[in-house]
Amino acid sequence: MKELYINARGMQCPGPIMQLHKTLKDAEPDTEVVIEVTDSGFKKDVQAWCKKTKNELVSLNEEDGVIIAKIKKKS
Amino acid sequence: MKKTIIVFSGDMDKVMAAFIIANGAAAMGDEVSMFFTFWGLNALRKAKKVKVRKNFIEKLFGWMMPRGAEKLPLSKMNFAGMGKQMMKMIMKKKNVNSLPELIEMARDMGVKILACSMSMDVMGIKKEELIDGVEIAGVATYLGEADEANVNLFI
C-alpha cells in the first residue's frame, strides 16, 4: 500500500487542508498520507476535514508543536 | 454542499477572509460561488490599466478606487496605506498567503467568481478590466446559486 507524505510545516490556514485535498483527490482508495503541520488550528481542522470528506483519520499526534496526522483515503 | 459568498467589501482583510473561507470550502470538497458587488469589485480589477472607453465620471471613479487586490486598503488601522504595508509585511513573515495568491488558489480550485453587472455599470468598471475567468451576472444568478447552497455569507 502506498504511503504519501506532506510537509506542511510553516504553512498557514487554509494551506494544510488544501494540500490534503490536492494530494488525496487523485489518489487510489486506501492510500495513506502522513501530514506534518505547525498551524495550531490544524488539530481540530483535520478532524473536521476527515469527517466532512469521509476519509479516515488513522492517527493524530503532536510533538514539539508539530501536529502529525495520518489519513486513509476512503471516498 | 455548495457555499455562496457575497463580497461587498473592498477591504483587503475582509476580502482575504472571504477567499480563505472559499478555498477552505473547496478543499472540503464543496462547490463555491463568490458574488462580487460594489466595492468588492475592486478586488477583481487587473493591476494594469486597461484601455476602455469611459465617460468622465467613470474615469474619475476608476481613478479613485483601488485597482486590484494588491491595492486594497485595510478596514482598520490603514493609516493612509502604511498600516496595510505593515500588515502585508507581517503576513509575509508569518507565511500567510497574500490576497493575490488566495485569488489564484481559488481559481485553481474551481471556485466560481461572479461579478455583479449593475455595480459594474454604476462604477464604470468594464469586463476587460477584470481578471480572467470572471463571469458577469445579476441577482437572479446569485439567488439561484444560494438556493442550492447551505451556507451564504455577506462580507
Side-chain angles (χ1 to χ4, degrees), chain A residues 9-15 17-18 21-22 45 48-49 52-53, chain B residues 1 3 20 23-24 26-30 94-96 102 105 109:
Chain A
R9 290 179 188 220
M11 214 174 248
Q12 296 274 17
C13 177
I17 58 163
M18 292 191 72
H21 171 81
K22 277 186 188 156
D45 270 17
W49 187 85
K52 162 96 190 178
T53 57
Chain B
M1 206 172 167
K3 315 284 182 243
I20 289 170
N23 282 325
M28 304 276 275
D30 286 331
K94 303 244 178 208
N95 220 2
V96 174
L102 287 166
M105 281 155 72
M109 297 291 283

Side-chain angles (χ1 to χ4, degrees), chain B:
Chain B
M1 206 172 167
K2 189 183 276 194
K3 315 284 182 243
T4 58
I5 304 174
I6 301 169
V7 186
F8 179 93
S9 169
D11 292 327
M12 183 193 93
D13 38 1
K14 294 189 184 180
V15 179
M16 273 187 81
F19 271 99
I20 289 170
I21 298 166
N23 282 325
M28 304 276 275
D30 286 331
E31 248 185 278
V32 186
S33 291
M34 299 176 87
F35 191 77
F36 288 77
T37 185
F38 283 90
W39 314 112
L41 283 174
N42 288 322
L44 302 180
R45 290 172 81 192
K46 285 179 185 152
K48 264 206 182 141
K49 199 173 170 167
V50 180
K51 268 221 154 90
V52 279
R53 278 180 71 93
K54 286 191 186 195
N55 64 32
F56 177 70
I57 299 284
E58 288 175 338
K59 271 185 193 154
L60 204 63
F61 251 96
W63 178 73
M64 285 193 301
M65 296 185 306
R67 196 187 294 131
E70 199 74 59
K71 298 271 168 63
L72 303 183
L74 275 186
S75 66
K76 297 267 191 296
M77 306 201 299
N78 188 49
F79 303 131
M82 282 188 313
K84 183 192 79 171
Q85 286 309 332
M86 194 182 264
M87 179 68 90
K88 275 167 102 172
M89 240 170 62
I90 297 167
M91 284 181 168
K92 197 169 178 187
K93 204 170 143 200
K94 303 244 178 208
N95 220 2
V96 174
N97 290 115
S98 69
L99 182 54
E101 283 167 352
L102 287 166
I103 295 175
E104 203 46 53
M105 281 155 72
R107 293 204 290 182
D108 270 2
M109 297 291 283
V111 170
K112 201 190 266 183
I113 298 179
L114 301 157
C116 163
S117 53
M118 186 271 272
S119 323
M120 284 175 67
D121 202 27
V122 169
M123 295 158 89
I125 295 175
K126 314 287 179 198
K127 189 177 194 296
E128 296 81 5
E129 294 177 273
L130 300 180
I131 54 174
D132 297 332
V134 174
E135 298 169 53
I136 314 261
V139 72
T141 306
Y142 154 68
L143 289 167
E145 302 267 345
D147 260 349
E148 299 166 4
N150 66 343
V151 169
N152 173 43
L153 302 172
F154 185 99
I155 297 176

